[in-house]
């Protein structure tokens, strides 16, 4: 581990020097790329420097133990320093886990009502509110680009983008089938019903990702918007539906004011979806990567149950349960997300070992 940390620190210092050279400073793209690499390494390097200083403090303290005047004080300090050393070693192990290159990206979230008719659509609306409330509390922003409202409330389908620092690292575990158990507002006999909604979370791709999309492979349909995109949004044929014919991937955007804006947004989402499909195929070919992940990331995988009568939320992938369903539905997802991240780190550490 020490050799890896020393190599990272050396590379970090090289990049810092390179960043000050005139040829880099005059090249915006290179400056941006190098700055990002430095930023990605910074926490590891800072923690490693702290660890090295602690090792020196431990060595100095052990030498002091033979001193007639300072020996007793050194003996009292040493156990605390050794304990801190153990904590930093565990922290460094986690920091050395290969970082998901998508962790710092914005996310595209798609929620659909599934089994359960009107109640499934209502639950899809509840999940949408849960994620947007979470985003608000974290200081993130949300933008809906397509919504199809349910006849009794909620949404049969809603698609939106959440923008914020490292948001994909937190929400990437949310893809799958979410199940609700409660008495629906549409149920007159007071019986508990089970309904489901599916969630898909993928990273929003930037211009650095090169996806070759042949214009001849696209079918573009223009129609009148039906979503809630503000005054005047549904008075013109501004909504855009793009179908990628080879993969039958369909993207609809109708919440921008102009056809041009909707088309640009739809192309961004299409690019992200096609890249995600390519990434999934690569992971399946690797095999072990999929097995070590928290869940498969597929829409059909049952990942969580929201039990209203018992005020309970259970994540089936890691056996996590909380009795704070009301708070979770109001956007307090941090405890669940932290538990998922910790389990993911644990599995990756075991795989490294």
């Amino acid at each position: 581990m020490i050799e890896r940390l020393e190599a990272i620190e050396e590379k970090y210092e090289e990049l810092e020097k390179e960043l000050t050279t005139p040829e880099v400073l005059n090249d915006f793209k290179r400056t941006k790329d190098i700055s990002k690499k430095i930023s990605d390494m910074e926490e590891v390097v800072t923690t490693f420097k702290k660890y090295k200083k602690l090792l020196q403090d431990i060595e100095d303290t052990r030498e002091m133990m033979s001193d007639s005047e300072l020996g007793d004080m050194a003996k009292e300090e040493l156990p605390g320093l050794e304990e801190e050393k153990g904590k930093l070693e565990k922290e460094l192990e986690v920091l050395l886990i290969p970082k998901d290159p998508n962790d710092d990206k914005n996310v595209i979230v798609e929620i659909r009502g599934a089994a359960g008719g009107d109640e499934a659509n209502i639950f899809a609306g509840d999940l949408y509110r849960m994620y947007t409330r979470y985003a608000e509390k974290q200081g993130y922003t949300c933008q809906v680009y397509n919504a199809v409202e349910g006849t009794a409330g909620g949404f049969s389908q809603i698609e939106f983008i959440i923008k914020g620092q490292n948001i994909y690292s937190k929400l990437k575990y949310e893809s799958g089938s979410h199940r609700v158990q409660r008495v629906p507002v549409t149920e007159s006999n007071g019986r508990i019903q089970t309904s489901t909604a599916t969630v898909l979370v993928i990273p929003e791709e930037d211009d650095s990702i090169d996806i070759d999309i042949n214009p001849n492979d696209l079918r573009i349909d223009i129609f009148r918007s039906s979503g809630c995109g503000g005054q005047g949004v549904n008075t013109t044929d501004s909504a855009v539906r793009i179908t990628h014919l080879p993969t039958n991937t369909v993207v609809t955007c109708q919440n921008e004011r102009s056809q041009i804006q909707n088309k640009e947004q739809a192309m961004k989402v299409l690019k992200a979806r096609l890249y995600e499909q390519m990434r999934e195929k690569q992971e399946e070919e690797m095999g072990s990567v999929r097995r070590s992940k928290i869940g498969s990331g597929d829409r059909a995988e049952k990942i969580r149950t929201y039990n209203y009568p018992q005020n309970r939320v259970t994540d089936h992938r890691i056996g996590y349960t909380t009795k704070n369903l009301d708070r979770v539905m109001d956007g307090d997802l941090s405890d669940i997300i932290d538990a998922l991240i910790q389990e993911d780190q644990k599995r990756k550490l075991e795989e490294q070992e």
Side-chain angles (χ1 to χ4, degrees), residues 29-64:
K29 188 177 183 303
R30 283 187 67 189
T31 300
K32 184 180 177 182
D33 290 344
I34 292 174
S35 296
K36 187 179 185 309
K37 289 177 182 177
I38 290 173
S39 177
D40 289 343
M41 294 181 184
E42 192 164 17
E43 188 176 4
V44 179
V45 173
T46 301
T47 306
F48 182 45
K49 286 179 178 178
K50 185 178 177 182
Y51 177 73
K52 288 193 294 182
K53 183 181 181 304
L54 183 63
L55 291 180
Q56 185 61 53
D57 290 345
I58 290 173
E59 186 178 336
D60 294 343
T61 302
R62 283 177 175 159
E63 290 178 359
M64 287 167 55

Short mmCIF file of all heavy atoms in Angstrom, two decimals, residues 29-64:
data_model
loop_
_atom_site.label_atom_id
_atom_site.label_comp_id
_atom_site.label_asym_id
_atom_site.label_seq_id
_atom_site.Cartn_x
_atom_site.Cartn_y
_atom_site.Cartn_z
N LYS A 29 -7.78 23.16 -22.48
CA LYS A 29 -8.19 21.76 -22.30
C LYS A 29 -7.19 21.01 -21.42
O LYS A 29 -7.58 20.27 -20.51
CB LYS A 29 -8.32 21.06 -23.65
CG LYS A 29 -8.94 19.66 -23.55
CD LYS A 29 -9.11 19.04 -24.93
CE LYS A 29 -9.79 17.67 -24.82
NZ LYS A 29 -9.07 16.74 -23.93
N ARG A 30 -5.88 21.21 -21.68
CA ARG A 30 -4.87 20.53 -20.87
C ARG A 30 -4.90 21.01 -19.43
O ARG A 30 -4.75 20.23 -18.48
CB ARG A 30 -3.48 20.76 -21.47
CG ARG A 30 -3.19 19.90 -22.69
CD ARG A 30 -1.75 20.05 -23.13
NE ARG A 30 -0.82 19.50 -22.15
CZ ARG A 30 0.51 19.67 -22.22
NH1 ARG A 30 1.03 20.40 -23.22
NH2 ARG A 30 1.29 19.13 -21.32
N THR A 31 -5.12 22.31 -19.25
CA THR A 31 -5.22 22.87 -17.89
C THR A 31 -6.38 22.24 -17.14
O THR A 31 -6.25 21.85 -15.97
CB THR A 31 -5.42 24.40 -17.95
OG1 THR A 31 -4.30 25.00 -18.61
CG2 THR A 31 -5.54 24.99 -16.55
N LYS A 32 -7.51 22.12 -17.82
CA LYS A 32 -8.70 21.52 -17.21
C LYS A 32 -8.46 20.05 -16.87
O LYS A 32 -8.80 19.60 -15.76
CB LYS A 32 -9.89 21.65 -18.17
CG LYS A 32 -11.20 21.15 -17.61
CD LYS A 32 -12.33 21.32 -18.62
CE LYS A 32 -13.64 20.76 -18.09
NZ LYS A 32 -14.73 20.88 -19.09
N ASP A 33 -7.84 19.29 -17.78
CA ASP A 33 -7.59 17.87 -17.57
C ASP A 33 -6.63 17.64 -16.40
O ASP A 33 -6.87 16.78 -15.53
CB ASP A 33 -7.02 17.23 -18.84
CG ASP A 33 -8.05 17.13 -19.96
OD1 ASP A 33 -9.25 17.28 -19.66
OD2 ASP A 33 -7.66 16.92 -21.11
N ILE A 34 -5.56 18.41 -16.37
CA ILE A 34 -4.56 18.25 -15.31
C ILE A 34 -5.13 18.69 -13.96
O ILE A 34 -4.90 18.03 -12.94
CB ILE A 34 -3.27 19.04 -15.64
CG1 ILE A 34 -2.59 18.40 -16.85
CG2 ILE A 34 -2.32 19.07 -14.45
CD1 ILE A 34 -1.39 19.18 -17.37
N SER A 35 -5.90 19.77 -13.96
CA SER A 35 -6.52 20.24 -12.72
C SER A 35 -7.46 19.19 -12.14
O SER A 35 -7.52 19.00 -10.92
CB SER A 35 -7.28 21.55 -12.97
OG SER A 35 -6.41 22.58 -13.36
N LYS A 36 -8.18 18.50 -13.02
CA LYS A 36 -9.09 17.45 -12.56
C LYS A 36 -8.31 16.28 -11.96
O LYS A 36 -8.68 15.73 -10.93
CB LYS A 36 -9.98 16.95 -13.69
CG LYS A 36 -11.06 15.96 -13.21
CD LYS A 36 -11.95 15.50 -14.33
CE LYS A 36 -13.07 14.62 -13.80
NZ LYS A 36 -12.61 13.52 -12.92
N LYS A 37 -7.21 15.90 -12.60
CA LYS A 37 -6.38 14.80 -12.08
C LYS A 37 -5.83 15.15 -10.70
O LYS A 37 -5.82 14.31 -9.79
CB LYS A 37 -5.25 14.49 -13.05
CG LYS A 37 -5.70 13.82 -14.34
CD LYS A 37 -4.52 13.60 -15.28
CE LYS A 37 -4.99 12.97 -16.59
NZ LYS A 37 -3.86 12.82 -17.56
N ILE A 38 -5.39 16.40 -10.56
CA ILE A 38 -4.86 16.85 -9.26
C ILE A 38 -5.96 16.81 -8.21
O ILE A 38 -5.75 16.35 -7.08
CB ILE A 38 -4.28 18.28 -9.39
CG1 ILE A 38 -2.99 18.25 -10.23
CG2 ILE A 38 -4.00 18.88 -8.01
CD1 ILE A 38 -2.42 19.62 -10.55
N SER A 39 -7.13 17.27 -8.59
CA SER A 39 -8.27 17.28 -7.66
C SER A 39 -8.64 15.86 -7.22
O SER A 39 -8.94 15.62 -6.05
CB SER A 39 -9.47 17.96 -8.32
OG SER A 39 -10.59 17.92 -7.47
N ASP A 40 -8.59 14.91 -8.17
CA ASP A 40 -8.92 13.52 -7.86
C ASP A 40 -7.92 12.88 -6.89
O ASP A 40 -8.28 12.01 -6.11
CB ASP A 40 -8.99 12.69 -9.15
CG ASP A 40 -10.20 13.04 -10.01
OD1 ASP A 40 -11.13 13.66 -9.48
OD2 ASP A 40 -10.20 12.70 -11.21
N MET A 41 -6.66 13.33 -6.96
CA MET A 41 -5.61 12.76 -6.12
C MET A 41 -5.47 13.47 -4.77
O MET A 41 -4.84 12.93 -3.85
CB MET A 41 -4.25 12.85 -6.84
CG MET A 41 -4.12 12.02 -8.08
SD MET A 41 -2.46 12.25 -8.76
CE MET A 41 -2.57 11.28 -10.25
N GLU A 42 -6.02 14.66 -4.67
CA GLU A 42 -5.72 15.54 -3.53
C GLU A 42 -6.01 14.91 -2.17
O GLU A 42 -5.20 14.97 -1.25
CB GLU A 42 -6.50 16.85 -3.67
CG GLU A 42 -6.04 17.92 -2.73
CD GLU A 42 -6.53 19.30 -3.12
OE1 GLU A 42 -7.48 19.40 -3.94
OE2 GLU A 42 -5.97 20.27 -2.60
N GLU A 43 -7.18 14.28 -2.03
CA GLU A 43 -7.55 13.71 -0.74
C GLU A 43 -6.61 12.57 -0.35
O GLU A 43 -6.22 12.44 0.83
CB GLU A 43 -9.00 13.21 -0.77
CG GLU A 43 -9.51 12.78 0.60
CD GLU A 43 -10.97 12.37 0.60
OE1 GLU A 43 -11.59 12.33 -0.49
OE2 GLU A 43 -11.48 12.06 1.69
N VAL A 44 -6.23 11.75 -1.33
CA VAL A 44 -5.30 10.65 -1.05
C VAL A 44 -3.95 11.19 -0.58
O VAL A 44 -3.39 10.74 0.42
CB VAL A 44 -5.09 9.77 -2.31
CG1 VAL A 44 -4.11 8.64 -2.02
CG2 VAL A 44 -6.41 9.19 -2.79
N VAL A 45 -3.44 12.18 -1.32
CA VAL A 45 -2.12 12.74 -0.99
C VAL A 45 -2.14 13.44 0.37
O VAL A 45 -1.22 13.26 1.18
CB VAL A 45 -1.66 13.72 -2.10
CG1 VAL A 45 -0.38 14.44 -1.69
CG2 VAL A 45 -1.45 12.98 -3.41
N THR A 46 -3.18 14.21 0.64
CA THR A 46 -3.29 14.91 1.92
C THR A 46 -3.34 13.92 3.08
O THR A 46 -2.66 14.11 4.11
CB THR A 46 -4.55 15.80 1.95
OG1 THR A 46 -4.49 16.75 0.88
CG2 THR A 46 -4.67 16.55 3.26
N THR A 47 -4.13 12.86 2.93
CA THR A 47 -4.24 11.86 3.98
C THR A 47 -2.93 11.10 4.16
O THR A 47 -2.53 10.77 5.29
CB THR A 47 -5.37 10.86 3.65
OG1 THR A 47 -6.58 11.59 3.41
CG2 THR A 47 -5.61 9.90 4.80
N PHE A 48 -2.23 10.83 3.05
CA PHE A 48 -0.95 10.12 3.13
C PHE A 48 0.11 10.96 3.85
O PHE A 48 0.90 10.45 4.66
CB PHE A 48 -0.46 9.75 1.72
CG PHE A 48 0.82 8.97 1.70
CD1 PHE A 48 1.03 7.91 2.57
CD2 PHE A 48 1.83 9.30 0.80
CE1 PHE A 48 2.23 7.18 2.54
CE2 PHE A 48 3.02 8.58 0.77
CZ PHE A 48 3.22 7.52 1.65
N LYS A 49 0.12 12.25 3.59
CA LYS A 49 1.06 13.15 4.27
C LYS A 49 0.76 13.19 5.78
O LYS A 49 1.68 13.19 6.61
CB LYS A 49 0.97 14.56 3.69
CG LYS A 49 1.62 14.69 2.31
CD LYS A 49 1.48 16.10 1.76
CE LYS A 49 2.18 16.20 0.40
NZ LYS A 49 2.04 17.56 -0.19
N LYS A 50 -0.51 13.19 6.11
CA LYS A 50 -0.92 13.15 7.51
C LYS A 50 -0.46 11.84 8.15
O LYS A 50 0.00 11.82 9.31
CB LYS A 50 -2.45 13.28 7.59
CG LYS A 50 -3.00 13.37 9.00
CD LYS A 50 -4.52 13.55 8.96
CE LYS A 50 -5.11 13.57 10.36
NZ LYS A 50 -6.60 13.71 10.33
N TYR A 51 -0.57 10.75 7.39
CA TYR A 51 -0.17 9.43 7.88
C TYR A 51 1.35 9.39 8.11
O TYR A 51 1.82 8.87 9.15
CB TYR A 51 -0.58 8.37 6.86
CG TYR A 51 -0.16 6.97 7.20
CD1 TYR A 51 -0.80 6.25 8.22
CD2 TYR A 51 0.86 6.33 6.50
CE1 TYR A 51 -0.42 4.95 8.53
CE2 TYR A 51 1.25 5.03 6.80
CZ TYR A 51 0.60 4.35 7.82
OH TYR A 51 0.97 3.06 8.13
N LYS A 52 2.13 9.93 7.19
CA LYS A 52 3.58 9.94 7.33
C LYS A 52 4.02 10.77 8.53
O LYS A 52 4.95 10.39 9.26
CB LYS A 52 4.24 10.47 6.05
CG LYS A 52 4.16 9.50 4.88
CD LYS A 52 5.07 9.89 3.74
CE LYS A 52 4.65 11.19 3.09
NZ LYS A 52 5.52 11.54 1.95
N LYS A 53 3.36 11.90 8.75
CA LYS A 53 3.67 12.72 9.92
C LYS A 53 3.35 11.95 11.21
O LYS A 53 4.10 12.03 12.20
CB LYS A 53 2.88 14.03 9.89
CG LYS A 53 3.19 14.97 11.05
CD LYS A 53 2.37 16.22 10.99
CE LYS A 53 2.73 17.16 12.15
NZ LYS A 53 2.61 16.53 13.47
N LEU A 54 2.25 11.21 11.18
CA LEU A 54 1.86 10.42 12.36
C LEU A 54 2.90 9.34 12.65
O LEU A 54 3.24 9.08 13.82
CB LEU A 54 0.49 9.80 12.13
CG LEU A 54 -0.09 9.00 13.31
CD1 LEU A 54 -0.32 9.90 14.52
CD2 LEU A 54 -1.41 8.34 12.91
N LEU A 55 3.42 8.70 11.60
CA LEU A 55 4.46 7.69 11.79
C LEU A 55 5.69 8.29 12.45
O LEU A 55 6.32 7.67 13.32
CB LEU A 55 4.85 7.07 10.44
CG LEU A 55 3.80 6.18 9.75
CD1 LEU A 55 4.37 5.64 8.43
CD2 LEU A 55 3.37 5.02 10.64
N GLN A 56 6.04 9.51 12.03
CA GLN A 56 7.18 10.19 12.63
C GLN A 56 6.90 10.53 14.10
O GLN A 56 7.77 10.38 14.96
CB GLN A 56 7.49 11.47 11.85
CG GLN A 56 8.76 12.19 12.32
CD GLN A 56 10.00 11.34 12.18
OE1 GLN A 56 10.29 10.81 11.10
NE2 GLN A 56 10.75 11.18 13.27
N ASP A 57 5.65 10.95 14.38
CA ASP A 57 5.27 11.26 15.77
C ASP A 57 5.35 10.02 16.65
O ASP A 57 5.78 10.09 17.81
CB ASP A 57 3.84 11.82 15.81
CG ASP A 57 3.74 13.22 15.21
OD1 ASP A 57 4.79 13.86 15.04
OD2 ASP A 57 2.60 13.65 14.91
N ILE A 58 4.95 8.86 16.10
CA ILE A 58 5.01 7.61 16.86
C ILE A 58 6.47 7.24 17.15
O ILE A 58 6.82 6.84 18.28
CB ILE A 58 4.31 6.47 16.08
CG1 ILE A 58 2.79 6.71 16.08
CG2 ILE A 58 4.63 5.11 16.69
CD1 ILE A 58 2.02 5.75 15.21
N GLU A 59 7.33 7.41 16.13
CA GLU A 59 8.76 7.10 16.33
C GLU A 59 9.37 8.02 17.38
O GLU A 59 10.12 7.55 18.27
CB GLU A 59 9.49 7.26 14.99
CG GLU A 59 10.95 6.83 15.05
CD GLU A 59 11.64 6.95 13.70
OE1 GLU A 59 10.94 6.91 12.67
OE2 GLU A 59 12.89 7.08 13.69
N ASP A 60 9.05 9.31 17.31
CA ASP A 60 9.58 10.26 18.29
C ASP A 60 9.07 9.94 19.70
O ASP A 60 9.82 10.06 20.69
CB ASP A 60 9.17 11.70 17.91
CG ASP A 60 9.81 12.17 16.62
OD1 ASP A 60 10.80 11.53 16.19
OD2 ASP A 60 9.31 13.14 16.02
N THR A 61 7.80 9.54 19.79
CA THR A 61 7.21 9.23 21.10
C THR A 61 7.88 8.00 21.71
O THR A 61 8.13 7.94 22.92
CB THR A 61 5.70 8.99 20.95
OG1 THR A 61 5.10 10.16 20.39
CG2 THR A 61 5.05 8.72 22.31
N ARG A 62 8.18 7.01 20.88
CA ARG A 62 8.85 5.81 21.39
C ARG A 62 10.26 6.13 21.90
O ARG A 62 10.71 5.55 22.89
CB ARG A 62 8.91 4.76 20.27
CG ARG A 62 7.58 4.05 20.06
CD ARG A 62 7.65 3.07 18.92
NE ARG A 62 6.40 2.32 18.80
CZ ARG A 62 6.00 1.70 17.69
NH1 ARG A 62 6.76 1.76 16.60
NH2 ARG A 62 4.87 1.04 17.67
N GLU A 63 10.92 7.04 21.22
CA GLU A 63 12.26 7.45 21.67
C GLU A 63 12.17 8.18 23.01
O GLU A 63 13.05 8.05 23.87
CB GLU A 63 12.92 8.33 20.62
CG GLU A 63 13.32 7.59 19.36
CD GLU A 63 13.95 8.51 18.32
OE1 GLU A 63 14.05 9.72 18.59
OE2 GLU A 63 14.32 8.00 17.24
N MET A 64 11.07 8.95 23.19
CA MET A 64 10.89 9.71 24.42
C MET A 64 10.62 8.80 25.63
O MET A 64 10.82 9.21 26.78
CB MET A 64 9.72 10.69 24.27
CG MET A 64 10.03 11.89 23.38
SD MET A 64 8.54 12.80 22.94
CE MET A 64 7.86 13.17 24.57
#
